Amino acid sequence: MSSRSINEKLVALSKQMQAAADAMDFEEATRLRNEIARIKGEAPVAPGDADTVTVGQPPPGAMGLGTQVPVRQPPKGWVKPKKPDLMTKNVKPRGGK
C-alpha cells in the first residue's frame, strides 16, 4: 500500500472510531483504536492486552521523579547490531603508504 492510501485508511478509521465513541459503542472504538495502532506499528506488547506499557529501568545516574519513562520494546526478531572494532576497522597504516 502506498503512504497516501495508508493515510486515507487511518483518517477513515479515526472517523469511524470517533463515531463509535459518540454512539457509546466503546468496544468498537477500542477495536478501531487497536487497528490504527497496528497500522502505525504501535501495537500493544501482549496480544489481547490493549493498554500494555512497559517500563524500563532508568539509565545509570538518573534518579528522582520522572525517570521511569515508558520504553518501547524492539520489534520481534530484531537483533542489536554488533559494535565495530575500532582497533582494526578503517585504520590507515602509519608512515605514508
Side-chain angles (χ1 to χ4, degrees):
M1 289 175 68
S2 69
S3 62
R4 184 175 183 176
S5 63
I6 291 172
N7 188 34
E8 290 172 356
K9 183 169 178 92
L10 288 173
V11 169
L13 287 173
S14 295
K15 287 180 182 179
Q16 291 176 8
M17 181 180 70
Q18 186 62 42
D22 291 341
M24 303 284 188
D25 186 4
F26 298 116
E27 288 84 10
E28 180 67 14
T30 301
R31 187 189 66 75
L32 291 167
R33 181 198 64 193
N34 291 344
E35 179 68 18
I36 292 169
R38 187 190 63 77
I39 291 172
K40 287 183 175 180
E42 303 168 350
V45 175
D49 191 3
D51 297 322
T52 301
V53 176
T54 304
V55 178
Q57 191 165 359
M63 297 172 43
L65 297 174
T67 58
Q68 273 67 23
V69 291
V71 177
R72 290 207 175 267
Q73 295 294 323
K76 200 172 204 176
W78 182 80
V79 178
K80 187 174 182 179
K82 288 176 40 177
K83 288 187 176 181
D85 185 4
L86 298 177
M87 298 300 290
T88 59
K89 300 288 182 185
N90 299 327
V91 176
K92 295 179 182 175
R94 295 183 189 197
K97 292 185 184 182

